[in-house]
Amino acid sequence: MKLAQKVIKEYFNGWLDASIELSKSELKYFPDRPTDCLRMFESAKEAVDFALNKLGPTILKAVIMHEKDNMPWQQISDALGIKKYLLVTYKSRLIADVQKELEN
């Protein structure tokens, strides 16, 4: 679960995209390097994209507010009118879905 949480955090902070671009540029200048790192970053991004596509628009907005804007769940709950426990439940499902995709 820690890996999935880290990947989600890096996805929203932009570090995952930066890592992909860096790996691509390294391969451009050093074509004999293995592509394992690039494939790992790309599969992590695909896992998060796949899990986020399963969420509804309101829950997706809540997750973005929590991850990108660092808003607490209670503040998001008040802003969107969704119970806090539902938001936490959906975030847990997102983490579980990402973890499942990373394992595949």
Coordinates of all heavy atoms in Angstrom, one line a residue, residues 35-98:
T35 N 15.7 -0.4 -20.6 CA 14.5 0.4 -20.5 C 13.6 0.1 -19.3 O 12.5 0.5 -19.3 CB 13.7 0.3 -21.8 OG1 13.4 -1.1 -21.9 CG2 14.5 0.8 -23.0
D36 N 14.1 -0.7 -18.4 CA 13.3 -1.1 -17.2 C 12.8 0.1 -16.4 O 11.6 0.0 -16.0 CB 14.2 -2.0 -16.3 CG 14.6 -3.3 -16.9 OD1 14.0 -3.6 -18.0 OD2 15.6 -3.9 -16.4
C37 N 13.6 1.1 -16.2 CA 13.1 2.2 -15.4 C 12.0 2.9 -16.1 O 11.0 3.3 -15.5 CB 14.3 3.1 -15.2 SG 14.2 4.2 -13.8
L38 N 12.1 3.2 -17.4 CA 11.1 3.9 -18.1 C 9.8 3.1 -18.1 O 8.7 3.6 -17.9 CB 11.5 4.1 -19.6 CG 10.5 4.7 -20.5 CD1 10.1 6.1 -20.0 CD2 11.1 4.8 -21.9
R39 N 9.9 1.8 -18.3 CA 8.7 0.9 -18.3 C 8.0 0.9 -17.0 O 6.8 0.9 -16.9 CB 9.1 -0.5 -18.7 CG 9.3 -0.6 -20.2 CD 9.4 -2.1 -20.6 NE 10.5 -2.7 -19.9 CZ 11.3 -3.6 -20.3 NH1 11.2 -4.0 -21.5 NH2 12.3 -4.1 -19.5
M40 N 8.8 0.9 -15.9 CA 8.3 1.0 -14.6 C 7.5 2.3 -14.3 O 6.4 2.2 -13.8 CB 9.4 0.9 -13.5 CG 8.9 0.9 -12.1 SD 10.2 0.9 -10.9 CE 10.9 2.6 -11.2
F41 N 8.1 3.4 -14.7 CA 7.4 4.7 -14.5 C 6.1 4.7 -15.4 O 5.1 5.2 -14.9 CB 8.3 5.9 -14.9 CG 9.4 6.1 -13.9 CD1 10.7 6.3 -14.4 CD2 9.2 6.1 -12.5 CE1 11.8 6.5 -13.5 CE2 10.2 6.3 -11.6 CZ 11.5 6.5 -12.1
E42 N 6.2 4.3 -16.6 CA 5.0 4.3 -17.5 C 3.9 3.4 -17.0 O 2.7 3.7 -17.0 CB 5.4 3.9 -18.9 CG 6.2 5.0 -19.6 CD 6.6 4.7 -21.0 OE1 6.7 3.5 -21.3 OE2 6.9 5.6 -21.8
S43 N 4.3 2.2 -16.5 CA 3.3 1.3 -15.9 C 2.6 1.9 -14.7 O 1.4 1.7 -14.4 CB 3.8 -0.1 -15.7 OG 4.8 -0.1 -14.7
A44 N 3.4 2.6 -13.9 CA 2.9 3.2 -12.7 C 1.9 4.3 -13.1 O 0.8 4.4 -12.5 CB 4.0 3.8 -11.8
K45 N 2.2 5.1 -14.1 CA 1.3 6.1 -14.5 C 0.0 5.5 -15.1 O -1.1 6.0 -14.8 CB 1.9 7.0 -15.6 CG 1.1 8.2 -16.0 CD 1.7 9.1 -16.9 CE 0.8 10.2 -17.3 NZ 1.3 11.2 -18.2
E46 N 0.1 4.5 -15.9 CA -1.0 3.8 -16.4 C -1.9 3.2 -15.3 O -3.1 3.2 -15.4 CB -0.6 2.7 -17.4 CG 0.0 3.1 -18.7 CD 0.5 2.0 -19.5 OE1 0.4 0.8 -19.1 OE2 1.2 2.3 -20.5
A47 N -1.3 2.7 -14.2 CA -2.1 2.2 -13.1 C -2.9 3.3 -12.4 O -4.1 3.1 -12.1 CB -1.1 1.5 -12.1
V48 N -2.3 4.4 -12.2 CA -3.0 5.5 -11.6 C -4.1 6.0 -12.5 O -5.2 6.3 -12.1 CB -2.1 6.7 -11.2 CG1 -2.9 7.8 -10.6 CG2 -1.1 6.2 -10.2
D49 N -3.8 6.2 -13.8 CA -4.8 6.6 -14.8 C -6.0 5.7 -14.8 O -7.1 6.1 -14.8 CB -4.2 6.7 -16.2 CG -3.3 8.0 -16.4 OD1 -3.5 8.9 -15.7 OD2 -2.5 7.9 -17.3
F50 N -5.7 4.4 -14.8 CA -6.8 3.4 -14.9 C -7.7 3.5 -13.6 O -8.9 3.4 -13.7 CB -6.2 2.0 -15.0 CG -7.2 0.9 -15.0 CD1 -7.9 0.6 -16.2 CD2 -7.4 0.1 -13.9 CE1 -8.8 -0.4 -16.2 CE2 -8.4 -0.9 -13.9 CZ -9.1 -1.2 -15.1
A51 N -7.0 3.6 -12.5 CA -7.8 3.7 -11.2 C -8.6 5.0 -11.2 O -9.8 5.0 -10.7 CB -6.9 3.6 -10.0
L52 N -8.0 6.1 -11.6 CA -8.8 7.4 -11.6 C -9.9 7.4 -12.6 O -10.9 8.0 -12.3 CB -7.8 8.5 -12.0 CG -6.8 8.9 -10.9 CD1 -5.8 10.0 -11.4 CD2 -7.4 9.3 -9.6
N53 N -9.8 6.7 -13.7 CA -10.9 6.6 -14.7 C -12.1 5.9 -14.1 O -13.2 6.1 -14.6 CB -10.4 5.9 -16.0 CG -9.6 6.9 -16.8 OD1 -9.7 8.1 -16.7 ND2 -8.7 6.3 -17.6
K54 N -11.9 5.1 -13.1 CA -13.0 4.3 -12.5 C -13.8 5.2 -11.5 O -14.9 4.9 -11.1 CB -12.5 3.1 -11.7 CG -11.9 2.1 -12.7 CD -11.1 1.0 -11.9 CE -12.0 0.0 -11.3 NZ -11.1 -1.1 -10.6
L55 N -13.3 6.4 -11.1 CA -14.0 7.3 -10.2 C -15.0 8.2 -10.9 O -14.8 8.5 -12.0 CB -12.9 8.1 -9.4 CG -11.9 7.4 -8.6 CD1 -11.0 8.4 -8.0 CD2 -12.6 6.6 -7.5
G56 N -16.0 8.6 -10.2 CA -16.9 9.5 -10.7 C -16.3 10.9 -10.6 O -15.3 11.2 -9.9
P57 N -16.9 11.9 -11.3 CA -16.3 13.2 -11.4 C -16.2 13.9 -10.0 O -15.2 14.6 -9.8 CB -17.2 14.0 -12.3 CG -18.5 13.2 -12.5 CD -18.1 11.8 -12.1
T58 N -17.2 13.8 -9.2 CA -17.2 14.4 -7.9 C -16.1 13.8 -7.0 O -15.3 14.6 -6.3 CB -18.5 14.3 -7.2 OG1 -19.5 14.8 -8.0 CG2 -18.6 15.1 -5.9
I59 N -16.0 12.5 -7.0 CA -15.0 11.9 -6.1 C -13.6 12.2 -6.7 O -12.6 12.4 -5.9 CB -15.2 10.3 -6.1 CG1 -16.6 10.0 -5.4 CG2 -14.1 9.6 -5.3 CD1 -16.7 10.6 -4.0
L60 N -13.5 12.2 -8.0 CA -12.2 12.6 -8.7 C -11.8 14.0 -8.2 O -10.6 14.2 -7.9 CB -12.3 12.5 -10.2 CG -11.1 12.8 -11.0 CD1 -9.9 11.9 -10.6 CD2 -11.4 12.7 -12.5
K61 N -12.7 14.9 -8.2 CA -12.4 16.2 -7.8 C -12.0 16.3 -6.3 O -11.0 17.0 -6.0 CB -13.7 17.1 -8.0 CG -13.4 18.6 -7.6 CD -14.6 19.4 -7.9 CE -14.4 20.9 -7.5 NZ -15.5 21.7 -7.8
A62 N -12.6 15.5 -5.5 CA -12.2 15.4 -4.1 C -10.8 14.8 -3.9 O -10.0 15.4 -3.1 CB -13.2 14.5 -3.3
V63 N -10.5 13.8 -4.7 CA -9.1 13.2 -4.6 C -8.1 14.2 -5.1 O -7.0 14.4 -4.4 CB -9.0 11.9 -5.4 CG1 -7.6 11.5 -5.5 CG2 -9.9 10.8 -4.8
I64 N -8.4 15.0 -6.1 CA -7.5 16.0 -6.6 C -7.3 17.1 -5.6 O -6.2 17.6 -5.3 CB -8.0 16.6 -8.0 CG1 -7.8 15.5 -9.0 CG2 -7.2 17.8 -8.3 CD1 -8.5 15.9 -10.4
M65 N -8.4 17.5 -5.0 CA -8.3 18.5 -3.9 C -7.4 18.1 -2.8 O -6.7 18.8 -2.2 CB -9.7 18.9 -3.4 CG -10.5 19.7 -4.4 SD -12.3 19.8 -3.9 CE -12.2 21.0 -2.7
H66 N -7.6 16.8 -2.4 CA -6.8 16.2 -1.3 C -5.3 16.1 -1.6 O -4.5 16.5 -0.9 CB -7.4 14.9 -0.9 CG -6.7 14.3 0.3 ND1 -6.8 14.8 1.6 CD2 -5.9 13.2 0.4 CE1 -6.1 14.1 2.4 NE2 -5.5 13.1 1.7
E67 N -5.0 15.6 -2.8 CA -3.6 15.3 -3.2 C -2.9 16.5 -3.7 O -1.8 16.8 -3.3 CB -3.6 14.2 -4.3 CG -4.0 12.8 -3.8 CD -3.1 12.3 -2.7 OE1 -1.9 12.6 -2.7 OE2 -3.6 11.5 -1.9
K68 N -3.5 17.3 -4.6 CA -2.9 18.4 -5.2 C -2.9 19.7 -4.3 O -1.9 20.4 -4.2 CB -3.5 18.7 -6.5 CG -2.5 19.1 -7.6 CD -3.2 19.2 -8.9 CE -2.2 19.3 -10.0 NZ -2.8 19.3 -11.3
D69 N -4.0 19.9 -3.7 CA -4.2 21.2 -2.9 C -3.9 20.9 -1.4 O -4.0 21.9 -0.7 CB -5.6 21.7 -3.1 CG -5.9 22.0 -4.6 OD1 -4.9 22.3 -5.3 OD2 -7.1 22.0 -4.9
N70 N -3.7 19.7 -1.1 CA -3.4 19.3 0.3 C -4.5 19.8 1.3 O -4.2 20.2 2.4 CB -2.0 19.8 0.8 CG -0.9 19.2 0.1 OD1 -0.9 18.0 -0.2 ND2 0.1 20.0 -0.3
M71 N -5.7 19.6 0.8 CA -6.8 20.0 1.7 C -7.2 18.8 2.6 O -7.2 17.7 2.1 CB -8.1 20.4 0.8 CG -7.9 21.7 0.1 SD -9.3 22.1 -1.0 CE -10.5 22.5 0.2
P72 N -7.6 19.1 3.8 CA -8.0 18.0 4.7 C -9.4 17.5 4.2 O -10.2 18.2 3.6 CB -8.1 18.6 6.1 CG -8.1 20.0 5.9 CD -7.5 20.3 4.5
W73 N -9.7 16.2 4.6 CA -11.0 15.6 4.2 C -12.2 16.4 4.7 O -13.2 16.5 4.0 CB -11.0 14.1 4.6 CG -10.1 13.2 3.9 CD1 -9.1 12.5 4.3 CD2 -10.1 13.0 2.4 NE1 -8.5 11.8 3.3 CE2 -9.1 12.0 2.2 CE3 -10.9 13.4 1.4 CZ2 -8.9 11.6 0.9 CZ3 -10.7 12.9 0.1 CH2 -9.7 12.0 -0.1
Q74 N -12.1 16.9 5.9 CA -13.3 17.6 6.4 C -13.6 18.8 5.6 O -14.7 19.1 5.4 CB -13.0 17.9 7.9 CG -14.3 18.5 8.6 CD -15.4 17.5 8.6 OE1 -15.3 16.4 8.9 NE2 -16.6 18.0 8.1
Q75 N -12.6 19.5 5.2 CA -12.8 20.8 4.4 C -13.3 20.4 3.0 O -14.2 21.1 2.5 CB -11.4 21.5 4.3 CG -11.6 22.9 3.6 CD -10.2 23.6 3.6 OE1 -9.2 23.1 4.0 NE2 -10.2 24.8 3.1
I76 N -12.9 19.3 2.4 CA -13.4 18.9 1.2 C -14.8 18.4 1.3 O -15.7 18.7 0.5 CB -12.5 17.7 0.6 CG1 -11.1 18.2 0.3 CG2 -13.1 17.1 -0.6 CD1 -10.1 17.1 0.0
S77 N -15.1 17.7 2.4 CA -16.5 17.3 2.7 C -17.4 18.5 2.8 O -18.5 18.4 2.2 CB -16.5 16.5 4.0 OG -17.8 16.2 4.4
D78 N -17.0 19.5 3.5 CA -17.8 20.7 3.6 C -18.0 21.4 2.3 O -19.1 21.9 2.0 CB -17.2 21.7 4.6 CG -17.2 21.1 6.0 OD1 -17.9 20.2 6.3 OD2 -16.4 21.6 6.8
A79 N -17.0 21.4 1.4 CA -17.1 22.1 0.2 C -17.9 21.4 -0.8 O -18.7 22.0 -1.6 CB -15.6 22.3 -0.4
L80 N -17.8 20.0 -0.9 CA -18.5 19.3 -1.9 C -19.9 18.7 -1.4 O -20.6 18.2 -2.2 CB -17.6 18.1 -2.4 CG -16.4 18.6 -3.1 CD1 -15.6 17.3 -3.5 CD2 -16.7 19.4 -4.3
G81 N -20.1 18.7 -0.1 CA -21.3 18.1 0.5 C -21.3 16.6 0.5 O -22.4 16.0 0.4
I82 N -20.2 16.0 0.6 CA -20.1 14.5 0.6 C -19.6 14.2 2.0 O -18.7 14.8 2.6 CB -19.1 14.0 -0.4 CG1 -19.6 14.4 -1.8 CG2 -19.0 12.5 -0.4 CD1 -18.6 14.1 -2.9
K83 N -20.1 13.1 2.6 CA -19.7 12.7 3.9 C -18.2 12.3 3.9 O -17.7 11.7 2.9 CB -20.5 11.4 4.3 CG -22.0 11.7 4.4 CD -22.3 12.2 5.7 CE -23.9 12.3 5.8 NZ -24.3 13.3 6.6
K84 N -17.5 12.7 5.0 CA -16.1 12.4 5.1 C -15.7 11.0 5.0 O -14.8 10.6 4.3 CB -15.6 13.0 6.4 CG -14.1 12.9 6.6 CD -13.7 13.4 8.0 CE -12.3 13.0 8.3 NZ -11.9 13.5 9.6
Y85 N -16.5 10.1 5.6 CA -16.2 8.7 5.6 C -16.3 8.1 4.2 O -15.6 7.2 3.8 CB -17.1 7.9 6.5 CG -18.5 7.7 6.1 CD1 -18.8 6.6 5.4 CD2 -19.5 8.6 6.5 CE1 -20.2 6.4 5.0 CE2 -20.8 8.4 6.1 CZ -21.1 7.3 5.4 OH -22.4 7.1 5.0
L86 N -17.2 8.7 3.3 CA -17.3 8.2 1.9 C -16.0 8.6 1.2 O -15.5 7.9 0.4 CB -18.5 8.8 1.2 CG -19.8 8.2 1.6 CD1 -21.0 8.9 0.9 CD2 -19.8 6.7 1.2
L87 N -15.5 9.9 1.4 CA -14.3 10.3 0.7 C -13.1 9.4 1.1 O -12.3 9.0 0.3 CB -14.0 11.8 1.1 CG -15.1 12.8 0.7 CD1 -14.7 14.2 1.2 CD2 -15.1 12.8 -0.8
V88 N -13.0 9.1 2.4 CA -11.9 8.3 2.9 C -12.0 6.9 2.3 O -11.0 6.3 1.9 CB -11.8 8.3 4.4 CG1 -10.8 7.3 4.9 CG2 -11.6 9.7 4.9
T89 N -13.2 6.4 2.2 CA -13.5 5.1 1.6 C -13.1 5.0 0.2 O -12.4 4.1 -0.3 CB -15.0 4.7 1.8 OG1 -15.3 4.7 3.2 CG2 -15.2 3.3 1.2
Y90 N -13.5 6.0 -0.6 CA -13.1 6.1 -2.0 C -11.6 6.2 -2.2 O -11.0 5.6 -3.1 CB -13.8 7.2 -2.8 CG -15.2 6.8 -3.2 CD1 -16.3 7.4 -2.5 CD2 -15.5 5.8 -4.1 CE1 -17.6 7.0 -2.9 CE2 -16.7 5.5 -4.5 CZ -17.8 6.1 -3.9 OH -19.1 5.7 -4.2
K91 N -11.0 7.0 -1.4 CA -9.5 7.1 -1.4 C -8.8 5.8 -1.1 O -7.9 5.4 -1.8 CB -9.0 8.2 -0.5 CG -7.5 8.3 -0.4 CD -6.9 8.9 -1.7 CE -5.4 8.9 -1.7 NZ -4.8 9.9 -0.9
S92 N -9.3 5.0 -0.2 CA -8.8 3.7 0.1 C -9.0 2.7 -1.0 O -8.1 2.0 -1.4 CB -9.5 3.1 1.4 OG -9.2 3.9 2.5
R93 N -10.1 2.8 -1.7 CA -10.4 2.0 -2.9 C -9.4 2.4 -4.0 O -8.9 1.5 -4.7 CB -11.8 2.2 -3.4 CG -12.8 1.5 -2.5 CD -14.2 1.6 -3.1 NE -15.2 1.2 -2.2 CZ -16.5 1.4 -2.3 NH1 -16.9 2.1 -3.3 NH2 -17.3 1.0 -1.4
L94 N -9.2 3.7 -4.2 CA -8.2 4.1 -5.2 C -6.8 3.5 -4.9 O -6.2 3.0 -5.8 CB -8.2 5.7 -5.2 CG -7.1 6.3 -6.1 CD1 -7.4 6.0 -7.6 CD2 -7.0 7.8 -5.9
I95 N -6.4 3.6 -3.7 CA -5.1 3.0 -3.3 C -5.1 1.6 -3.6 O -4.1 1.0 -4.1 CB -4.8 3.4 -1.9 CG1 -4.5 4.9 -1.7 CG2 -3.5 2.6 -1.4 CD1 -4.4 5.3 -0.2
A96 N -6.1 0.9 -3.2 CA -6.2 -0.6 -3.5 C -6.2 -0.9 -5.0 O -5.5 -1.9 -5.4 CB -7.4 -1.2 -2.8
D97 N -6.9 -0.1 -5.7 CA -6.9 -0.3 -7.2 C -5.5 -0.1 -7.8 O -5.1 -0.9 -8.7 CB -8.0 0.6 -7.9 CG -9.4 0.1 -7.6 OD1 -9.6 -1.0 -7.2 OD2 -10.3 0.9 -7.9
V98 N -4.9 0.9 -7.4 CA -3.5 1.2 -7.9 C -2.6 0.1 -7.5 O -1.8 -0.4 -8.3 CB -3.0 2.6 -7.4 CG1 -1.6 2.8 -7.8 CG2 -3.8 3.7 -8.0

